[in-house]
Amino acid sequence: MAERAALEELVKLQGERVRGLKQQKASAELIEEEVAKLLKLKAQLGPDESKQKFVLKTPKETLMGKYGEDSKLIYDLKDQGGELLSLRYDLTVPFARYLAMNKLTNIKRYHIAKDFDIAGNFDPMIPDAECLKIMCEILSSLQIGDFLVKVNDRRILDGMFAICGVSDSKFRTICSSVDKLDKVSWEEVKNEMVGEKGLAPEVADRIGDYVQQHGGVSLVEQLLQDPKLSQNKQALEGLGDLKLLFEYLTLFGIDDKISFDLSLARGLDYYTGVIYEAVLLQTPAQAGEEPLGVGSVAAGGRYDGLVGMFDPKGRKVPCVGLSIGVERIFSIVEQRLEALEEKIRTTETQVLVASAQKKLLEERLKLVSELWDAGIKAELLYKKNPKLLNQLQYCEEAGIPLVAIIGEQELKDGVIKLRSVTSREEVDVRREDLVEEIKRRTGQPLCIC
């Protein structure tokens, strides 16, 4: 035990030396030499079996080869010691690796503010339908405008490419070109496939006949009768699953938000089945608004083969998930608020406790404590004698809707002056009725006594 403690202290000191050299921007040779010493000490130390600690690190080579042409979106950098690092592109590949490393076969996870995944062997399309339901619920609750969720299936795409005459080696690169149809015209996509990727013009034309179609379950049924596509096993499986998916989406009440779009390709290589992407429906820009051009606001799909890539025995764990485009949604909300000249609320505070005269700090503290005890989100300025104008200005800047004003006359009369920040209307409310009045105005449930 004493020997291990001594080694741990040496590792700690050597680690501090390496960090110090990096901060001093010492030569790469010197840093590499000291890092080697640190690694040697760590190897001597070995793992501490008494500590149940798990840290998931994803090397760059693990990320490469999973995103197709989107691999260019992985940004590389080196730290001061010359170690090659990468900014994480998404959370799906690390999640799949986590499942493989921990031999997990069933899990449902929600990553704060962004991702949702379901892993495990389940009956077809039930988890997929739930993911689409969740996506629609999130986008509807955000009230960012009308949206449409495009769906397709990688098996349908691969079957379509096969019957159109695309060679296996070109499937993924042609898939990446098709995925640009929501941004550029078919002619531009065709020119890229023919001019840059060496596809025969007649093959591109056959692809164009399919990828320019979109609709609902009726299009799925139409393609199930297509004399060529229906003869491809992969495409037939994909179309069968999509038909089932639409049945579940109808039961969930969201089929009117879904469009089967054969141009949707999702350029990431790890998708194996159903894929989907939510886009805002363009509406004429209101006065003062710039036309929105943010692209998709949510996307996802099925990736049944990714976990097996990290499992030593190649065991597969079917997975499906979605990701919300938080940054894009923020840009939409901010733009619309600016156009409407609305303030962005920076606090959840419902009421500011203010004073109209000096020497009323004790009364403000008493009142704010009463409001806190009643479950009201209240605050006050941390000054003994703030000016009333400054208190009101603070409410306007922070977006606090109400001000509870205490003055000498109000104290004598047993009332509180309640002010609406937006309308500037003021009413006297008896102190014992203040909590209920604030709840009524802010939409909180009233107390039934």
Side-chain angles (χ1 to χ4, degrees):
M1 185 69 80
E3 184 181 348
R4 181 174 184 85
L7 265 175
E8 287 176 344
E9 183 63 24
L10 287 174
V11 168
K12 179 182 175 184
L13 292 172
Q14 186 63 20
E16 290 173 354
R17 172 162 174 75
V18 170
R19 285 191 292 274
L21 289 171
K22 288 182 178 181
Q23 289 171 358
Q24 297 163 20
K25 297 185 178 179
S27 68
E29 292 80 6
L30 178 58
I31 292 174
E32 285 177 11
E33 183 181 333
E34 296 302 320
V35 166
K37 292 178 183 177
L38 176 62
L39 294 174
K40 187 176 180 181
L41 286 170
K42 285 184 175 181
Q44 291 175 9
L45 185 62
D48 186 351
E49 301 297 335
S50 66
K51 293 183 180 179
Q52 299 299 317
K53 185 177 180 182
F54 176 72
V55 178
L56 179 62
K57 295 181 179 179
T58 305
K60 185 192 175 206
E61 57 268 23
T62 300
L63 296 175
M64 298 306 292
K66 309 297 188 302
Y67 301 111
E69 293 192 359
D70 279 3
S71 291
K72 60 180 177 290
L73 298 177
I74 300 175
Y75 294 96
D76 297 337
L77 64 154
K78 289 185 178 181
D79 70 1
Q80 292 169 326
E83 184 179 1
L84 182 62
L85 308 171
S86 292
L87 296 180
R88 183 175 56 205
Y89 174 57
D90 76 352
L91 298 169
T92 307
V93 172
F95 173 62
R97 182 165 172 256
Y98 172 80
L99 295 179
M101 289 173 65
N102 291 273
K103 297 180 173 61
L104 297 174
T105 57
N106 284 276
I107 187 173
K108 184 186 287 189
R109 70 132 191 171
Y110 169 63
H111 188 94
I112 297 299
K114 191 170 179 64
D115 281 22
F116 177 84
D117 293 270
I118 300 172
N121 280 290
F122 304 108
D123 287 341
M125 297 298 103
I126 300 174
D128 309 67
E130 182 179 348
C131 284
L132 286 165
K133 173 68 171 174
I134 290 169
M135 180 183 286
C136 289
E137 284 184 353
I138 291 171
L139 296 178
S140 296
S141 65
L142 289 172
Q143 298 181 348
I144 54 175
D146 292 334
F147 62 89
L148 185 70
V149 181
K150 301 176 183 180
V151 300
N152 199 359
D153 193 296
R154 269 295 175 81
R155 293 166 296 177
I156 299 173
L157 279 169
D158 287 352
M160 178 187 69
F161 291 149
I163 66 168
C164 288
V166 180
S167 63
D168 291 355
S169 62
K170 288 186 181 292
F171 271 22
R172 293 284 79 90
T173 187
I174 297 304
C175 188
S176 179
S177 294
V178 168
D179 201 39
K180 297 175 183 177
L181 272 173
D182 62 332
K183 304 178 184 69
V184 298
S185 68
W186 164 247
E187 286 304 317
E188 290 177 88
V189 169
K190 178 183 175 181
N191 289 339
E192 179 182 296
M193 292 193 296
V194 175
E196 297 179 22
K197 299 184 176 180
L199 198 67
E202 61 274 15
V203 173
D205 288 334
R206 287 196 286 270
I207 292 172
D209 292 338
Y210 283 106
V211 298
Q212 296 181 79
Q213 297 185 63
H214 55 85
V217 69
S218 59
L219 177 58
V220 177
E221 292 169 345
Q222 176 188 321
L223 292 175
L224 281 167
Q225 303 302 317
D226 184 278
K228 293 183 179 178
L229 199 59
S230 61
Q231 298 304 308
N232 182 277
K233 183 182 177 182
Q234 274 192 301
L236 201 59
E237 288 176 357
L239 288 167
D241 277 352
L242 272 191
K243 185 177 180 181
L244 182 60
L245 178 65
F246 268 99
E247 290 179 20
Y248 296 150
L249 297 178
T250 301
L251 294 172
F252 278 149
I254 58 170
D255 55 305
D256 61 325
K257 297 283 188 185
I258 312 296
S259 172
F260 174 29
D261 192 323
L262 281 158
S263 71
L264 179 65
R266 301 287 297 146
L268 304 180
D269 274 3
Y270 52 66
Y271 286 125
T272 57
V274 171
I275 50 178
Y276 34 85
E277 183 174 279
V279 294
L280 289 184
L281 296 177
Q282 293 287 346
T283 55
Q286 299 177 13
E289 281 192 47
E290 292 293 325
L292 292 172
V294 295
S296 65
V297 290
R302 178 160 287 281
Y303 52 102
D304 289 348
L306 191 56
V307 176
M309 293 182 183
F310 302 109
D311 191 287
K313 296 182 179 179
R315 288 171 295 200
K316 292 185 178 182
V317 178
C319 298
V320 63
L322 66 96
S323 181
I324 303 298
V326 176
E327 294 85 358
R328 290 180 172 180
I329 289 171
F330 278 166
S331 70
I332 294 166
V333 173
E334 287 176 353
Q335 180 178 312
R336 289 186 171 168
L337 287 173
E338 287 174 7
L340 296 170
E341 297 184 350
E342 290 184 8
K343 294 284 185 182
I344 298 174
R345 286 200 67 183
T346 58
T347 176
E348 289 190 354
T349 301
Q350 298 164 309
V351 59
L352 179 81
V353 175
S355 56
Q357 290 96 22
K358 294 181 179 180
K359 300 181 180 179
L360 291 174
L361 175 61
E362 290 183 5
E363 296 299 332
R364 284 192 293 140
L365 291 172
K366 287 179 190 175
L367 181 56
V368 80
S369 181
E370 289 175 21
L371 295 177
W372 288 341
D373 290 343
I376 301 292
K377 296 174 182 177
E379 64 175 283
L380 75 168
L381 295 191
Y382 301 136
K383 288 189 175 183
K384 283 187 175 181
N385 300 305
K387 293 180 180 179
L388 181 58
L389 184 62
N390 291 346
Q391 295 170 91
L392 297 177
Q393 187 174 353
Y394 172 75
C395 288
E396 289 186 1
E397 291 173 353
I400 299 172
L402 299 171
V403 190
I405 303 173
I406 303 173
E408 292 174 358
Q409 189 60 49
E410 284 77 17
L411 289 172
K412 288 178 184 178
D413 297 341
V415 299
I416 301 295
K417 195 176 292 295
L418 193 61
R419 177 186 174 103
S420 167
V421 175
T422 52
S423 69
R424 301 186 179 180
E425 177 190 4
E426 295 181 348
V427 293
D428 288 339
V429 180
R430 294 197 61 77
R431 188 161 184 148
E432 58 267 26
D433 298 331
L434 182 63
V435 168
E436 296 303 313
E437 180 63 19
I438 291 172
K439 286 184 176 182
R440 185 183 69 80
R441 294 192 181 208
T442 57
Q444 277 188 267
L446 300 179
C447 177
I448 301 174
C449 303

